[in-house]
């Protein structure tokens, strides 16, 4: 959700005189729109932001009673994003 919301923010908040120069989905980044690497900047920022403990605390509230996940669980979730990273990147060397 956060990744795609970054794309939506990029689109909605773009200020350009000509729409052809402003923004495009990754299916049509060239010609027109922005380069592929810049297209991903806002979405990658938000995607990484969601793993911070502060954001996890706010997102983990129970609607019914307002309770949230224990600090130990939030810490484990925050750290879990780096698990198996080396294994996942082994394909780059193959």
């Amino acid at each position: 959700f956060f990744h795609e919301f970054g794309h939506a923010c990029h689109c909605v908040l773009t200020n350009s005189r000509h729409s052809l120069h402003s923004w495009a989905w990754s299916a049509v980044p060239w010609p027109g729109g922005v380069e592929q690497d810049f297209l991903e900047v806002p979405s990658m920022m938000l995607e990484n932001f969601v793993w911070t403990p502060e954001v996890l605390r706010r997102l983990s509230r129970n609607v019914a009673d307002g309770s949230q996940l224990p600090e130990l669980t939030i810490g484990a979730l925050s750290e879990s994003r780096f698990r198996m990273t080396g294994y996942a990147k082994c394909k780059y060397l193959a």
Side-chain angles (χ1 to χ4, degrees), residues 44-63:
M44 295 298 284
M45 181 195 71
L46 286 176
E47 184 179 308
N48 288 311
F49 180 68
V50 74
W51 287 99
T52 61
E54 297 81 17
V55 174
L56 286 171
R57 277 187 208 98
R58 290 194 76 149
L59 293 177
S60 70
R61 292 205 186 276
N62 186 321
V63 176

Side-chain angles (χ1 to χ4, degrees), residues 17-29:
R17 186 172 204 173
H18 304 288
S19 61
L20 180 65
H21 301 135
S22 64
W23 180 86
W25 283 106
S26 56
V28 289

Side-chain angles (χ1 to χ4, degrees), residues 53-91:
E54 297 81 17
V55 174
L56 286 171
R57 277 187 208 98
R58 290 194 76 149
L59 293 177
S60 70
R61 292 205 186 276
N62 186 321
V63 176
D65 62 8
S67 64
Q68 65 182 26
L69 290 174
E71 285 297 316
L72 186 63
T73 305
I74 288 175
L77 281 170
S78 183
E79 291 176 13
S80 72
R81 70 181 281 214
F82 298 113
R83 299 281 189 255
M84 302 296 288
T85 302
Y87 180 74
K89 300 209 186 302
C90 281
K91 63 183 176 188

